[in-house]
Every structure is written in structure tokens, then in C-alpha cells.
Amino acid sequence: MDKIYNGLVTGYTHDGRGVVKDHHLAFIDGALKDETVEYTLTRTGRKFNQGKVTNVLTKSKNRTVPPCPYINECGGCHVQHMNDIEERDFKREAVFNTLRRHIKDIKVNDTVELDDLYYYRNKTVFAVREQRGNVVIGQFHKNGKDVVDIEHCMIQKRSHNEIIKALRNLIVKYNISIYNEDLHKGFLRHLIIRSNYDDSDIQVIFVTNGKEYSFKSLVNELVKDERITSVIQNIHTEKTNLVTSFDSVVRYGNEFIEDELLSRKFKVKDLSFYQVNHEITEKMYNEAIERAELKETDVVIDAYSGIGTIGQLLSRNVKEVIGIEVVESAVDDAKDNAKLNDIENASYVLGKAEDKIKEIIKEKTINTLFIDPPRKGADKVFLDTILEVEPEKIVYISCNPATLGRDLKILSEKYNVGRVTPYNMFSKTYHVECVVSLSKK
């Protein structure tokens, strides 16, 4: 029998586990701050141990019963045992603790979140596997390679759950071959669903280990649901953990869905980067634009510009927007979106931000720089280039406080770092989005 310990939870790790220091340093799944809990260890290490709660001796007033039946198996959510108040405060504290390792006097605002923290994701990515003779569709198990068969996911939009239910039946009905990861055989690997804000456009993506269109009958029946305006086959034959490849074929309807953000329209394709929480995205982009204090004479660079969202939202406030992006298809999409919105003062260039920004400043004075990089943060060479170019203001949007802190420390050589606002873009998980503005010293 595993040894049972008890201890007082004094805080949280970045991923929402409770910190106990009574007998040893241990990070405990399912424990809330200020609770006294009994726990067992699931892993021991030289610097810290990991464990899970077996009994709560003194319960936090902010503990709630997770409503999801898959909470003990699925690795998709991490903080369903926190009520809304605790989740909000945990995310603010996690951002603060991470950033102050790099910026000692950092200030962090309260977390911005919605009233309803469920049913928000406009992009669903589910694995498809055959386990014990049954087709299963869902997230990977938190402790292994098996897939948890999820009939109803509470952080996906309701429309996505309805379509997954229909797909589950159709895959069985049409006897679609299912991918076996170990043998690298079989056909259907993943299902992805993307939707716009009001579900008037929904895209279904079949990720397949092969290019044959052997599921046409399934698609013909699926698209009787008039909300589905796009069906894509992503052909992914490599033996890898990556979900998709860059080889996509339109099997029905359009190659994109059309969404609306702050009165601008955007075409979103199967591989486009696009924020997953529509309402929070609008709030966050509004603050980002307000932080920049833009003027009609400003020239703005939108680095890591993707399909052009933030730059086109602010284009009405400035003289010119120049987007820089290393993905060629995203540059093309940004140009198309500018045409869609009748925007004539936004242009897009292909290349590395550190190279292109040097070329741009030879001809133009850059007033404001927007940065919205991937989780790995901004490239060090790009940050060095910013310090060389010295735009007046920087607005940084980040999905990873660890790399945000690293990058802010570098930029703080020449910039004052403003207050950071966490946004609960990914509620019921430990992930958080942040906005921060910087001004030249």
C-alpha cells in the first residue's frame, strides 16, 4: 500500500498543482491553496516529488466538484476542481510568479475571463483510434497512449460535440479504417473541427494516413448538416506525433470558414493560426490596441502577423500597417483578408522579422511594434534587432508566461515594462494568454 502523507498546500505550480513543503517538496494534483490534504506520491525525484490527493482534510471554499466525467482520465483540462474565483486568482499568481523571476518590479492585473468558462473552444482536435474492438474519439489519456473516448467535451463548443457524435456513428456505419500508431497502418488519424462565432460556418478536417478519398459517402451524409460549409482532407503519412501535415485537399465546399472579429472579417483555413476563444480574443485585442495609444500618423509593424488579425483590426486607427510573417500561405491569407475588409493601408511581407524590420526602417519611421509569437517566444536575434531599431512602443501578446518573461528581460534594457494583463483564453486548463505594453526609456 502506498504511504499516505498529509500537508498544507501553500501555493501552486505553473500548471495548477498544489505545493506542499511539510515533509518534502511535493507538487500535488487536485490540491487547492490553503487546504490540508492527504496524498500519495506518484513520482519521486531529487529536487521535488509528485503526488495526488487521496483525501481533503480541510477544504477550500473555492473547491468545486468537476462536472466532467472524464476528469480523472483525460489530459485536456487541469483545473476543473477550482471554482471561477480560484482559477482567476491562480492564473494571475502563476503569471506574476513566472514573470518576477525576470522582472523584479513587474505588475500584473487581475485575470480577464468570461462568465461562462465552458463550451468556448472554436477548434477541436480529437484523435481517432480503435481500442479493444471499438472506435474511440477523444483526447489522449493523461497517463498513457490510449485515447479517452469522449462523447461530450465541456470545453469544446456544443456544435462540435454534436458533430463528433454524428461522426462517431458515420465512421462505424461506413467501416472507415482507423489508424494504428504502433504499426503505422490504417487510415483515419485525427478529426479537427473549426467554427466561426455563430456556427454559420463549420469546417471538418479528416487527417488521414493516405490520400485516397475513400470516405466520400460519409462526407455526403455528414454535410446534410447545413452548418458544415467546408470539409478538408489533410494527408499525413509520416510516423510522427504532429497532428497535421501541410498537404490538404478540399473535399466539400470552401477551403476556409469566415469569422468576424470586432467588425472585421477573416477567412480561416484548416492550418491557419487563429485564437480558440472568440469572446476573450475580442476583449484581449481591444486592450492591446488601446495600450498602443495609436495616432493617425503612426506606422505599425505587426510581427508574426499570421493571417492578419491584429494588424487589420487596428488599421483604421493608423497611417500604415506592415505585417511580417515567415509562413508563405499565411502571408497570402493576410493579403486576401485585407481585400475582404477593403483595407488599403495594410501590406504583408514574407520573411524573418529581424531581417525585414531592418529593411523597413531604411524607408519608414516605425512608431509601434506588435508582437504575437508562438509558445517558444520571440527569436533572440529579433529581440536584439528591436533594441537596435528602437520603436517608440511595443505591445506583446503571449501564450507562454515563461518565454514572455525571458523576452521582457531582454527588452527591459531599453524599455519600461507596463502592467501585464492575463486573459483566460484557455479556461479549465492551466494555460493563459497575456498582454503587456512597453515604452522606450
Side-chain angles (χ1 to χ4, degrees):
M1 183 177 178
D2 294 334
K3 183 175 180 179
I4 296 177
Y5 299 88
N6 68 72
L8 174 67
V9 182
T10 58
Y12 293 113
T13 61
H14 78 281
D15 56 1
R17 291 177 292 173
V19 177
V20 173
K21 300 178 181 178
D22 289 357
H23 307 281
H24 40 232
L25 178 60
F27 304 150
I28 311 301
D29 285 334
L32 293 188
K33 187 178 178 180
D34 299 326
E35 289 184 336
T36 303
V37 298
E38 291 182 340
Y39 63 93
T40 59
L41 296 181
T42 56
R43 184 178 299 177
T44 58
R46 287 186 296 175
K47 293 184 178 181
F48 63 89
N49 301 318
Q50 299 180 49
K52 63 179 180 180
V53 170
T54 57
N55 188 30
V56 180
L57 301 176
T58 306
K59 186 178 294 188
S60 167
K61 64 180 180 181
N62 291 330
R63 175 175 285 277
T64 189
V65 177
C68 175
Y70 312 105
I71 189 66
N72 294 321
E73 307 166 79
C74 176
C77 293
H78 317 97
V79 296
Q80 282 197 23
H81 58 299
M82 299 180 183
N83 69 6
D84 296 1
I85 295 170
E86 190 74 7
E87 181 177 344
R88 180 194 65 205
D89 293 347
F90 150 65
K91 291 193 172 180
R92 181 196 175 278
E93 180 181 319
V95 170
F96 176 72
N97 289 338
T98 299
L99 295 183
R100 71 175 176 177
R101 299 189 190 111
H102 304 277
I103 308 289
K104 289 185 179 180
D105 59 347
I106 196 74
K107 302 292 191 298
V108 179
N109 295 324
D110 289 339
T111 306
V112 177
E113 63 182 18
L114 305 178
D115 293 333
D116 185 357
L117 300 186
Y118 289 98
Y119 299 113
Y120 62 89
R121 282 192 63 95
N122 60 30
K123 181 181 180 181
T124 297
V125 181
F126 275 174
V128 185
R129 297 292 183 268
E130 186 173 332
Q131 293 170 185
R132 293 169 285 280
N134 297 314
V135 174
V136 298
I137 303 173
Q139 295 277 3
F140 284 100
H141 196 288
K142 63 171 64 176
N143 297 321
K145 292 176 64 176
D146 279 356
V147 171
V148 180
D149 198 21
I150 298 176
E151 294 188 5
H152 185 91
C153 177
M154 296 186 67
I155 64 171
Q156 314 298 331
K157 290 176 69 174
R158 289 180 172 85
S159 58
H160 294 207
N161 282 308
E162 293 166 4
I163 291 168
I164 288 292
K165 182 178 180 180
L167 283 165
R168 190 185 305 272
N169 294 329
L170 291 173
I171 288 167
V172 173
K173 176 179 178 179
Y174 289 101
N175 194 29
I176 304 300
S177 169
I178 306 302
Y179 181 67
N180 184 305
E181 191 172 14
D182 293 327
L183 300 176
H184 191 49
K185 292 183 178 180
F187 187 64
L188 183 58
R189 300 174 68 138
H190 283 84
L191 292 169
I192 303 172
I193 301 174
R194 306 193 80 158
S195 59
N196 63 355
Y197 75 102
D198 65 353
D199 290 338
S200 58
D201 273 1
I202 297 180
Q203 181 180 75
V204 179
I205 303 152
F206 294 82
V207 183
T208 61
N209 181 38
K211 63 182 180 181
E212 60 272 18
Y213 187 26
S214 57
F215 54 102
K216 184 176 181 180
S217 298
L218 184 157
V219 170
N220 289 341
E221 186 165 347
L222 177 68
V223 298
K224 291 178 181 178
D225 184 336
E226 295 181 354
R227 297 173 298 180
I228 299 173
T229 57
S230 172
V231 176
I232 305 293
Q233 182 178 5
N234 181 262
I235 300 161
H236 184 18
T237 58
E238 298 297 319
K239 190 172 184 179
T240 172
N241 290 330
L242 295 176
V243 173
T244 57
S245 75
F246 292 102
D247 185 7
S248 293
V249 179
V250 178
R251 294 305 187 187
Y252 172 82
N254 300 317
E255 64 175 336
F256 58 85
I257 58 172
E258 188 176 294
D259 199 16
E260 186 173 303
L261 281 174
L262 299 174
S263 302
R264 296 290 202 197
K265 295 179 180 179
F266 297 96
K267 294 178 180 179
V268 183
K269 296 180 182 177
D270 59 319
L271 301 181
S272 298
F273 169 77
Y274 197 70
Q275 299 284 7
V276 300
N277 188 324
H278 186 274
E279 194 172 345
I280 280 288
T281 299
E282 291 195 323
K283 290 177 181 290
M284 183 179 72
Y285 283 173
N286 259 331
E287 180 181 351
I289 294 168
E290 289 173 4
R291 287 279 196 105
E293 299 178 340
L294 299 167
K295 301 186 292 293
E296 291 182 357
T297 55
D298 283 353
V299 177
V300 174
I301 283 185
D302 179 14
Y304 307 93
S305 55
I307 63 171
T309 47
I310 187 72
Q312 292 181 31
L313 293 175
L314 62 85
S315 63
R316 65 194 75 180
N317 303 328
V318 300
K319 178 182 178 182
E320 184 178 4
V321 175
I322 305 168
I324 306 174
E325 174 59 59
V326 295
V327 179
E328 186 173 4
S329 60
V331 172
D332 293 338
D333 293 343
K335 292 176 179 178
D336 286 344
N337 285 324
K339 291 178 182 177
L340 179 66
N341 289 299
D342 296 320
I343 295 171
E344 297 181 350
N345 65 335
S347 59
Y348 295 89
V349 295
L350 175 66
K352 293 183 178 179
E354 60 268 23
D355 296 333
K356 294 303 177 181
I357 195 172
K358 287 182 178 179
E359 296 175 11
I360 293 166
I361 64 164
K362 292 177 181 177
E363 301 179 0
K364 303 174 186 292
T365 298
I366 304 304
N367 306 102
T368 305
L369 172 67
F370 279 78
I371 310 173
D372 187 1
R375 285 189 59 79
K376 65 181 181 180
D379 187 278
K380 175 64 164 58
V381 178
F382 177 50
L383 296 173
D384 291 339
T385 304
I386 294 172
L387 295 176
E388 180 183 338
V389 172
E390 296 187 2
E392 295 172 17
K393 291 168 288 187
I394 302 170
V395 178
Y396 194 135
I397 299 172
S398 169
C399 61
N400 186 349
T403 54
L404 173 63
R406 178 202 68 198
D407 294 351
L408 290 180
K409 183 177 181 180
I410 294 170
L411 293 172
S412 66
E413 177 186 329
K414 292 188 176 181
Y415 286 86
N416 297 308
V417 179
R419 298 183 71 94
V420 178
T421 303
Y423 278 83
N424 200 358
M425 180 75 68
F426 316 95
S427 56
K428 297 307 161 189
T429 79
Y430 66 78
H431 299 292
V432 62
E433 199 93 3
C434 295
V435 172
V436 60
S437 55
L438 301 92
S439 58
K440 197 162 60 171
K441 289 182 179 178

